[in-house]
Every structure is written in structure tokens, then in C-alpha cells.
Amino acid sequence: MFHWFRFCAVLMTLGTAAVAAPVTAQDTFDPQALFAPLTLPTPANALRTGAGKPGAMYWQNRADYKLHATLDTHSNTLHGKEVITYTNNSSDSLPVLWLQLDQNMYRKDSRATMASEWRRGKYTEGYQLDTVNVRMAGETHAAKFLIDDTRMRVDLPQKLAAKGGKLQLEIHYHYQFPGTWGGRTAVTPSSRGNIFEVAQWFPRMAVYDDRHGWNNNPYITSEFYLEYGTIDYIVTVPWDYWVVGSGQLINPKDVLTKTEQQRLKQAQSSDQTVYIRRADEVGKAHSRPVTQGTLDWHFRMEHTRDVAFAASPAFIVDAARINLPNGKSSLAMSAYPVEAVGPNKWDRSTEYVKASIEHFSQWYPYPWPVAVNLAGHGAGMEYPGIAFDGMDDKDDVLFWISAHELGHNWFPMIVGSDERRHAFMDEGFNTFIDVYASDAFNNGEYAPKRDGEYAPKGGNPVDEILSVLADDAAPNLMMPAEATAEKYRHSVTYFKGALGLILLREQILGPERFDPAFKEYIATWAYKHPSPSDFFRFMESAGGEDLSWWWRGWYFNNWQLDMGITAINAVEDKKGKATAVSLTSKQKLVMPATLRLHYGDGSHEDFRIPVESWMHSANPTLMLPVSKSVKSAELDPEHKLPDANRANNSLTL
């Protein structure tokens, strides 16, 4: 999730200059502290292996949904019916089930209202449950249930059997839309009619897993953790409304005119954007297959944890083909009101969707039939197969937010990590891949993203993190999402999380080792629930490197880096001539680095200094096979590392 209004606050948090933190005794480098064995939070066992993979006994429960939502566009109310088929693949029989009721966060008495740093201007009564029934063993029972804030516990008439037990929950409910707050089930006005942005709109199963049992913490504001399954849903709207949503539109013949059907078919084989519904057709009766009553829009999505949709009479809709590396294709689609039209605005949205999905698919092919970009309130919010962005976005901002929200289809929609607890595996991983998407798009038209989002144009991203690393109050990356203050949410979760992977790829492992390992990690954990420990183990095993020191310094702690050069001496002994370069570390973290020697003849030579050079001393001396006259030396000459004090990085003789 990306919030552009956070831009200025992030700049204030990060600063624009590299400021060295004062060195104290506790900040001095200790090799035994950095390189000590690291015990990861989740142990390796038969469920999760030492190689960071699902083990032979790994299990995961499943939730399949059949949903029907009816929008009352006069009262701004959604009436819903759902049937959840829940499969218990765990080794535990379950006496109760837990569900998430996210709409209850909008109540005045919700924990979110009290605990969140967000301030709302409108409240609702949350979910109103009309009926809740349980179907087990061929019988239907009125469910006994308890609602506590954003959670519902359903007491089962008998335990749900382990290792394959199934039941169905049938729930009828309704709720009122809470205005435009946050884009999560919002009603956004436009000149041609309201835009309903409908997400977190049905009671959803909480995850029951091998690490925590029921993951049923109250919903405050921070993202999701959900089970996978197939979601089949119908949206009933007035005849003049258009609906875009997660997954495949099953019944285009029922909801599109013949002309629109032909245009849709054309778009599915076109690399150029094709209008399905033009601006001059919005509000015209001939752009709808009927002129009264309602229409049922039917969608279906497989291997998904969630679905969302948007509905409005105001939509312009266009689309183009997405070419995938496995020889398959998908569809890039955009829906937006006339206010968003413009050559530097949403006219280019589908171009951005297509390019972003094609680029991200190098890591793992996009698995769903459609990727939708929706212009509305502008919360910058992601759901499987659809992103809610802002109708006023344009230029680089529109590209960046579109790419970022669409990138969430990989993290956490494909790789289903627990973003409630481990936000860096969601926002950090996603920001990492969209940094490279910005570099790649249209020969770098909007590059570099790492500067544009987090710092003034032209700034060095490794310098912008220095003030965070020097801040004693800054949380580490392992801090639960909801325990990370808004002040640090972007700078730590997004930026530090992304920079950690950039440094791992470009400075520690190198792309040749990182890229295959990261791709294999995504493929291995697609539609599953990895923990941070699984990721750490996987990258070590597949990348061929003990990275305990990196996880400890960058992820489990907020340690700084300050390496320097203290001496250069020519050496001649019975082994011949050499050059001794003495280094020092003034902070707790060190990294592999490039050492550049400048010779008296005007040439220079680079040496790669491995992290093992620091395993025994804070002041190692390197013996380099150099007999030439050395004029000066420089550590990290291309400024790739987040060094807190670059004044000691060079030495001239």
C-alpha cells in the first residue's frame, strides 16, 4: 500500500543529508556479536525445513467462497450473502472457527478507532449479521457465535475433523459504506456518478497455521493474512453501472453490449490500448445492454486470498494484452472517470499496467486473467488482481503508485506471507521489485523510483537511510506492522525493507546468485504462508551464503555501518612485495566492500573485500598482492553502501 500524502513526512523523517551518528562505546564493532550463530524465530522441522522450504508435513487450510453482493446505491448499503466452504487440513480438530469482520473497524467503539493514528470523520455500525448457519455432516444448524470487535468466533456443534474435515458457513449480512475514508469500501463522488470501491466486504476466514494457531488479532489498519481458495462472486448493480473486479468476468454476454464484447476480444490480442467504453459513451443508454432494472456481474478467481471490485456509471474502460514469459497472456485493464482523462493522466494507465505486470512476471508469471487499475478516492490500496488508485494521479506519481500496488500481486497475493506481523515481507519486498520496474519502464522514463518516492530527485538512496539507522527510537524490521508508528512506517517498512534486498542483491550475493534464489523462493512459496525464518533460510541455502550477520544487523536490529581506512603501507619480506591496508569499523555492522587503490602512474585497481575480513577484528589489516606505488585508497568508491561517515573512507599518502 502506497500513500503519496506521506511523501513530505517521509522526507522529514529521512532527511536529505548524510549525518554521522556520534560513536559511543556501545556502538563499537564487536565481531563476536555480529558473527555469532543466529537462532531464527521459527524452528526448522518437518513442516518447515532447514532449506527454507515447506516440509513433508507442511499443511495449510483452505477457504472457498461463493458470494453475492447487491449494491443499494441510494442508501450506500451493501447486502451480502456468502457460503464459505472451509477445509481443515491441520492435524488438529477444531471446536471453533474464527472469522475477520473488517467493516467493524468503522464503529465508534472499535479498537481501530481508539488505537489507530488515523482519524475518521464518519462512523458506521459495521457488519449487521442477519443469519449465520453452519452446515456439518449433512445438517444445518443456527450458529452460536460471539462478535468481539473485528473478530467473530463461531462455536461448532461438533469438532471439525483434522486432516481434511469440511464444513460450510452461510452468512447473510449488510453494512453501510463509511464514506471515502481510505479507499477500503468507499464511495467517491465524480461528475458522472459515484464510484463504489468495494473491498474487505465479506466476512473472511482467519488463518489457522502451524506457528500461531488462529491468527485472530483485532484489525487496526495494517493489512491482512488470509487463506487461499477459489472465490466465485456475483455483484448486482443498477443497469447503468459498470463493474470491474478481481478475477475473470464469467458472463460478458450478459453485461456488455455486442460492441463492447468485440472491443474486449480485440484488446485481448492487442499490445496497444483498446477502449472498451469511451468517454463519449459514458452516461449513454446504448452503452449498456439493458435500460432498466439491474445487472448481475459474475466473476471467478482461483488460487486467491481475497477479491475486491468497483462499480460506477462513470467508468471509461480500456484494456490491452499482457504478454507473459510462459507463453500465456493476461489482460491489463483500467477504469476511470472523465476527470482522470488526459495524455499524462489515466490515458496511459493501461500502458503502465501492461508494462509493470510484464516486468514483474520475470520473477514469477502473473497467474490471473486480468489486472485492473481503478481510479477513485486514491488510497493507493491493493487487492488480488485489482488496485485502487487516485483519479487525480498523473505523470510519475501515477506510474509509481500503479506499479507499486500492482506489484503487491506478488507480495503478498502470490506469496502469502503474514503482513499483519511481518510488513517488510509485503511492503519491503514489493518496493524492491518496483524499484527495478521503474528503471525498466520506457528506458527509465520515471526512474529512479528509489529517489522519487523517498528523497529529492538525485539523492543517493543509501544516504537517505542513515538518519533512520542513527535513530534510537526507530523500530527494527521484525517489529509487528501495527506496532510500527506511522512516523517510521514508510522509512523502515518500505524503504529499509527494500534497500535490504537491493544491498543483498547488488552488494552481498550479486544478481547471479540472488536472482535465481529469489525466483525459486517465490515459486516454492506461491499460494503458501512463509515466515521470515523461511525466507532467511531459503536465501542462504539457494544463494550459497551464511547471511546470519546480515539478518542480525539489518533485520533484527537497526545497526549502523561506518567502515574506514586507517593506514596504507608498502611491505617487503621473504614472500615478496605487497601492500598492507588497515581498516577500521566504528559501528556494529560491516559489509562486503570495494577497495580502490590509486597508483602513482595514474591507474587504479579495485579489490573486493569480503565480509569475512572482519570476523576477527574491528581493525583488520589486509595484505594485497600489490607491488606498485600506491598514491591513495578509497573504500566503497561508487558510494553503494549506507556508510554513516564517509570522511574516513579514503586516505591519501
Side-chain angles (χ1 to χ4, degrees):
M1 180 174 62
F2 175 101
H3 289 290
W4 190 254
F5 67 82
R6 288 288 304 145
F7 178 75
C8 294
V10 171
L11 295 188
M12 292 173 64
T13 300
L14 294 177
T16 59
V19 179
V23 178
T24 64
Q26 66 181 12
D27 291 325
T28 56
F29 177 67
D30 180 359
Q32 294 189 33
L34 181 62
F35 294 106
L38 178 65
T39 301
L40 295 173
T42 302
N45 51 36
L47 292 114
R48 299 166 185 269
T49 73
K53 299 181 179 182
M57 296 181 66
Y58 178 83
W59 55 264
Q60 189 171 303
N61 290 352
R62 180 183 176 98
D64 298 293
Y65 298 82
K66 285 190 176 295
L67 309 170
H68 191 158
T70 300
L71 292 187
D72 183 336
T73 58
H74 297 291
S75 64
N76 292 347
T77 301
L78 183 146
H79 295 267
K81 300 177 182 179
E82 74 173 333
V83 176
I84 307 171
T85 301
Y86 185 70
T87 305
N88 177 25
N89 294 315
S90 79
S91 56
D92 304 321
S93 59
L94 302 177
V96 302
L97 303 181
W98 284 89
L99 285 81
Q100 302 181 38
L101 305 179
D102 288 2
Q103 290 300 317
N104 287 0
M105 72 181 291
Y106 298 109
R107 292 175 55 93
K108 287 184 178 180
D109 60 354
S110 73
R111 292 196 191 185
T113 298
M114 298 296 125
S116 173
E117 294 182 68
W118 302 85
R119 182 177 180 273
R120 297 185 186 87
K122 183 177 179 179
Y123 302 91
T124 74
E125 294 302 313
Y127 278 116
Q128 303 297 299
L129 302 184
D130 303 315
T131 59
V132 181
N133 292 318
V134 181
R135 300 174 188 166
M136 294 185 73
E139 296 183 356
T140 299
H141 307 265
K144 296 180 180 179
F145 60 89
L146 171 71
I147 294 176
D148 185 284
D149 197 57
T150 58
R151 296 84 51 84
M152 178 168 72
R153 189 193 72 210
V154 177
D155 301 324
L156 300 179
Q158 62 191 63
K159 289 185 178 181
L160 180 61
K163 299 181 178 180
K166 288 189 178 184
L167 58 69
Q168 289 186 321
L169 285 178
E170 182 180 43
I171 304 174
H172 291 196
Y173 63 95
H174 64 278
Y175 67 84
Q176 188 170 31
F177 287 81
T180 59
W181 183 85
R184 303 177 178 188
T185 305
V187 183
T188 303
S190 80
S191 63
R192 304 292 180 87
N194 285 338
I195 300 172
F196 287 81
E197 300 169 58
V198 189
Q200 296 161 245
W201 56 278
F202 55 98
R204 299 173 298 178
M205 291 301 306
V207 173
Y208 187 83
D209 65 19
D210 61 284
R211 293 183 297 135
H212 301 286
W214 285 110
N215 289 262
N216 49 13
N217 289 338
Y219 182 68
I220 306 301
T221 56
S222 294
E223 314 296 9
F224 322 109
Y225 185 37
L226 299 164
E227 294 288 19
Y228 286 95
T230 295
I231 302 181
D232 189 289
Y233 66 107
I234 294 172
V235 180
T236 299
V237 291
W239 66 272
D240 57 339
Y241 271 61
W242 192 295
V243 180
V244 291
S246 303
Q248 180 74 50
L249 177 62
I250 300 299
N251 63 335
K253 293 182 179 180
D254 297 332
V255 295
L256 304 182
T257 67
K258 289 184 178 180
T259 298
E260 291 162 349
Q261 293 173 49
Q262 292 169 354
R263 292 171 180 172
L264 178 60
K265 185 175 181 180
Q266 179 187 354
Q268 290 168 340
S269 59
S270 173
D271 287 322
Q272 303 300 316
T273 299
V274 175
Y275 281 95
I276 313 302
R277 189 194 200 196
R278 301 190 308 262
D280 61 358
E281 296 171 322
V282 173
K284 302 295 178 60
H286 72 264
S287 73
R288 303 282 66 242
V290 297
T291 57
Q292 60 181 350
T294 60
L295 286 173
D296 290 341
W297 294 68
H298 185 186
F299 297 87
R300 180 181 173 87
M301 195 174 197
E302 298 181 352
H303 305 298
T304 188
R305 358 176 297 163
D306 199 3
V307 292
F309 67 90
S312 178
F315 285 155
I316 300 164
V317 181
D318 62 41
R321 179 180 62 192
I322 298 170
N323 301 301
L324 300 175
N326 55 7
K328 297 181 180 180
S329 64
S330 184
L331 189 69
M333 180 177 287
S334 299
Y336 48 96
V338 294
E339 290 91 329
V341 170
N344 65 334
K345 298 179 69 178
W346 279 77
D347 291 10
R348 296 190 68 184
S349 170
T350 290
E351 176 191 358
Y352 299 159
V353 176
K354 172 181 167 64
S356 299
I357 297 293
E358 288 178 351
H359 181 81
F360 295 142
S361 290
Q362 70 176 306
W363 298 108
Y364 183 90
Y366 184 73
W368 295 302
V370 184
V372 180
N373 204 16
L374 181 279
H377 170 64
M381 192 60 209
E382 71 281 354
Y383 298 94
I386 189 169
F388 290 175
D389 292 326
M391 67 171 72
D392 296 324
D393 294 339
K394 60 183 179 180
D395 298 319
D396 50 5
V397 176
L398 178 57
F399 176 81
W400 284 329
I401 194 170
S402 299
H404 181 83
E405 303 310 333
L406 293 165
H408 277 299
N409 282 289
W410 280 261
F411 307 104
M413 309 307 175
I414 294 172
V415 181
S417 53
D418 180 356
E419 51 185 326
R420 294 287 303 276
R421 286 185 171 89
H422 311 298
F424 78 92
M425 298 182 74
D426 162 38
E427 298 295 357
F429 283 28
N430 179 35
T431 301
F432 164 73
I433 64 172
D434 74 52
V435 160
Y436 292 105
S438 291
D439 293 343
F441 176 72
N442 201 22
N443 298 314
E445 179 179 357
Y446 298 128
K449 160 78 182 301
R450 65 194 78 179
D451 291 350
E453 185 172 343
Y454 298 106
K457 201 76 170 177
N460 190 319
V462 298
D463 283 346
E464 281 112 39
I465 199 65
L466 297 182
S467 59
V468 176
L469 299 180
D471 187 345
D472 290 338
N476 62 54
L477 283 168
M478 301 299 289
M479 186 66 66
E482 284 159 352
T484 299
E486 184 67 17
K487 173 183 177 182
Y488 296 109
R489 194 167 62 86
H490 269 73
S491 58
V492 173
T493 301
Y494 290 65
F495 183 38
K496 189 185 180 191
L499 185 57
L501 293 186
I502 291 170
L503 292 170
L504 182 60
R505 179 180 188 265
E506 298 181 1
Q507 302 302 315
I508 299 173
L509 292 180
E512 297 80 5
R513 286 194 288 161
F514 179 93
D515 289 0
F518 197 60
K519 290 176 183 179
E520 187 184 354
Y521 166 76
I522 297 172
T524 299
W525 286 98
Y527 317 116
K528 297 182 177 69
H529 297 314
S531 70
S533 301
D534 297 318
F535 174 71
F536 297 151
R537 291 191 179 102
F538 197 101
M539 294 305 292
E540 289 189 348
S541 178
E545 193 84 16
D546 182 351
L547 297 166
S548 298
W549 61 273
W550 182 238
W551 312 137
R552 173 180 282 112
W554 195 263
Y555 291 83
F556 288 91
N557 293 285
N558 203 40
W559 287 353
Q560 296 185 79
L561 178 84
D562 181 11
M563 302 187 298
I565 303 173
T566 57
I568 306 170
N569 293 292
V571 175
E572 185 171 3
D573 56 21
K574 62 182 180 180
K575 295 182 181 179
K577 293 183 177 181
T579 297
V581 179
S582 297
L583 306 178
T584 188
S585 175
K586 301 294 186 181
Q587 291 288 346
K588 293 182 178 181
L589 181 62
V590 295
M591 290 184 65
T594 296
L595 176 66
R596 178 168 293 172
L597 297 185
H598 294 271
Y599 299 130
D601 61 8
S603 64
H604 71 266
E605 187 175 4
D606 287 348
F607 297 85
R608 193 65 180 161
I609 308 304
V611 73
E612 288 83 359
S613 302
W614 303 90
M615 294 187 82
H616 302 123
S617 173
N619 302 288
T621 295
L622 311 178
M623 300 298 293
L624 304 179
V626 172
S627 58
K628 298 174 68 172
S629 172
V630 177
K631 183 179 179 181
S632 63
E634 187 177 5
L635 201 61
D636 186 29
E638 296 181 356
H639 203 160
K640 300 291 187 180
L641 306 181
D643 197 300
N645 178 19
R646 299 194 63 81
N648 61 3
N649 282 33
S650 58
L651 183 66
T652 301
L653 296 179

